Amino acid sequence: MAETTRNSFEDITTRMDEIISAVRSKDTSLERSLDLFDEAIALGSHAVELVDSFDLSPSEAEQLEAASASDTPDREESEPTGGDGAPDEAGADNSEYAD
């Protein structure tokens, strides 16, 4: 199949859905699946470039920032961590390390 130019994010996602369906099909050979995988990687790279080059208007940037701030939990509500910043293991007995 000749590779066509995918200019919009919607075109890319549509083609990615087609690739997923083809790869899941029992009728698709391994060689064809690998070719589709390569195409999917290229499409994904192009999608990342589109997202990275996208500029928000000032009002859109404010809306996104406000939405992100309301979705981020406070530190007190987050998972407890050990001294290294990693989450404590559930049920771990840390009493031997207490002062």
Side-chain angles (χ1 to χ4, degrees):
M1 178 171 113
E3 192 171 316
T4 58
T5 303
R6 307 280 179 195
N7 292 324
S8 73
F9 196 80
E10 185 176 335
D11 290 341
I12 291 171
T13 56
T14 299
R15 180 61 185 145
M16 291 288 254
D17 289 339
E18 293 169 357
I19 290 171
I20 291 167
S21 295
V23 169
R24 287 183 175 166
S25 171
K26 294 178 182 180
D27 298 329
T28 304
S29 69
L30 177 59
E31 183 177 350
R32 177 71 179 137
S33 293
L34 292 172
D35 289 341
L36 291 169
F37 177 77
D38 289 340
E39 182 183 351
I41 294 295
L43 287 169
S45 295
H46 185 64
V48 168
E49 291 171 7
L50 286 175
V51 169
D52 287 346
S53 67
F54 186 76
D55 289 325
L56 296 174
S57 70
S59 64
E60 290 171 326
E62 288 174 12
Q63 289 174 352
L64 181 62
E65 187 174 315
S68 295
S70 66
D71 290 343
T72 305
D74 291 335
R75 185 69 182 153
E76 295 85 35
E77 297 174 14
S78 65
E79 198 172 311
T81 61
D84 61 356
D88 286 339
E89 292 183 29
D93 182 11
N94 293 328
S95 60
E96 66 182 293
Y97 301 111
D99 291 305

